Amino acid sequence: PADPLRECPTDPAGDDAWSAELDRLAAEVDRNPAAVTASVDELNDIILLSLSAGTDTVRHEVLHRLFTLHRLQQEAEQDPVAVTRNRATFLDTVNALVPGDMSATTPLEDRILLNGYRSTAEDATPQQRLNAAQQLTHLHAGRGDRRGMAEALLRAGEELQKLSRMAEMYDTYQRALNLSQDVGATDIRIWATIRLAFAQYIAGDKMTATQMLLDQDAELPVEHLDGEKDKTAMAEAKVALANLFSEAGDRDGKSFFLTQAVDLFEEVGQADSAARYRAQL
């Protein structure tokens, strides 16, 4: 074909040309993101128009092409609002093409991306998000990514809480905590501890909840935290401690931990959070 990209967007005859064009765009994305964004939008429309014209089944190669275009789009896009919008549009598109799980023969990174998006989709039910998070855990396990597993378990725990499946929620957060400690993922460790402490709190055991957070606070001094994720998570842990002390009527304890939380939020550039909690001092 004279123009295989447009004449064969979903047919095997265009595969080589499409692969070459995607490789070219990947090489250009850092040098000329605006041009790449425009090209990606055009190529994406070409594929979707072809599919809407009556293609019965979507070949794995074509699905992977859509995933590749989306990754290029997200990498090239400079506007955070557009990044969020593109993600939602892409998820709607793939959900329409693949209502269930993708085939096991689909590239693992595509299945991980899709289930990651599905696990946080605002218009999905808690059960749908839970299914995606659990699938995501298995996918990360399949490639030996224990940090990815821990993150997916945190997501699954959130949805189990919404479904009031508290025993499963606790076990899921405990798994996330154990994995995060094994791989040295401090931010996930902190979040898992916050969630486990909350589980104890809602079960009526405020003393255990407080002690869990205090033990973690002693084991992870602020000066040893490294990076925005760790410090943000610890700021939230200190807010949780401040709330527990406040509920117990200990104003000094509340002030002590809330002041530290404000300092951490300021350090990582979260001025709104810092101002909100400073107002409570």
Side-chain angles (χ1 to χ4, degrees), residues 42 49 85 99 105 147 152-153 174 177 260:
E42 180 185 6
L49 282 171
R85 182 176 62 247
T105 60
R147 179 186 171 89
L153 286 166
Q174 187 64 57
L177 177 60
Q260 292 185 14

Side-chain angles (χ1 to χ4, degrees), residues 162-173:
K162 293 171 186 173
L163 293 166
S164 298
R165 292 159 59 176
M166 308 311 284
E168 291 174 81
M169 177 199 76
Y170 194 92
D171 289 344
T172 298
Y173 284 148

